[in-house]
Amino acid sequence: MKEGMTMVWQPRKGVSIKEVKSGLFLFHFFHKIDFNNILEGRPWFFDNHVLILGRIKVRETSREVPLFHVPFWV
């Protein structure tokens, strides 16, 4: 998954992907432009699963990010 999404997204300054727990990943983009491009390009899928992306705020842990909504065009 880490290599696949990095190849698809092709961030200019790179991305660090860590598995926080089973099925929950932390993506750290090294440039704000890369981060914004990924969020604007939603929805993203990997292995027939929807990636639900959210932004972590200062002093917030990955488990506190509400991951309930994915924007779709119908």
Side-chain angles (χ1 to χ4, degrees), residues 1 15-16 19-20 29 45-46 49 51 56-57 63 67-69 71:
M1 194 278 232
V15 61
S16 170
E19 190 166 12
V20 177
F29 293 93
F45 297 87
F46 179 78
H49 292 88
L51 293 180
I56 295 180
K57 298 176 184 170
R63 296 171 192 225
L67 300 173
F68 303 110
H69 301 283

Side-chain angles (χ1 to χ4, degrees), residues 4 7 14 22 27 30 32 35 39-40 45 50 52-53 55-56 58 63-64 66 69-70 73-74:
M7 287 175 43
S22 181
F27 299 91
F30 298 114
K32 190 175 184 175
F35 174 77
L39 283 185
E40 290 173 10
F45 297 87
V50 177
I52 303 173
L53 304 173
R55 180 185 300 240
I56 295 180
V58 176
R63 296 171 192 225
E64 296 173 308
H69 301 283
V70 177
W73 283 85
V74 180

Side-chain angles (χ1 to χ4, degrees), residues 6-35:
T6 301
M7 287 175 43
V8 170
W9 287 338
Q10 298 181 350
R12 294 178 193 152
K13 299 293 182 178
V15 61
S16 170
I17 304 173
K18 296 179 184 176
E19 190 166 12
V20 177
K21 68 175 190 174
S22 181
L24 181 64
F25 294 86
L26 178 64
F27 299 91
H28 178 235
F29 293 93
F30 298 114
H31 199 282
K32 190 175 184 175
I33 292 173
D34 292 329
F35 174 77

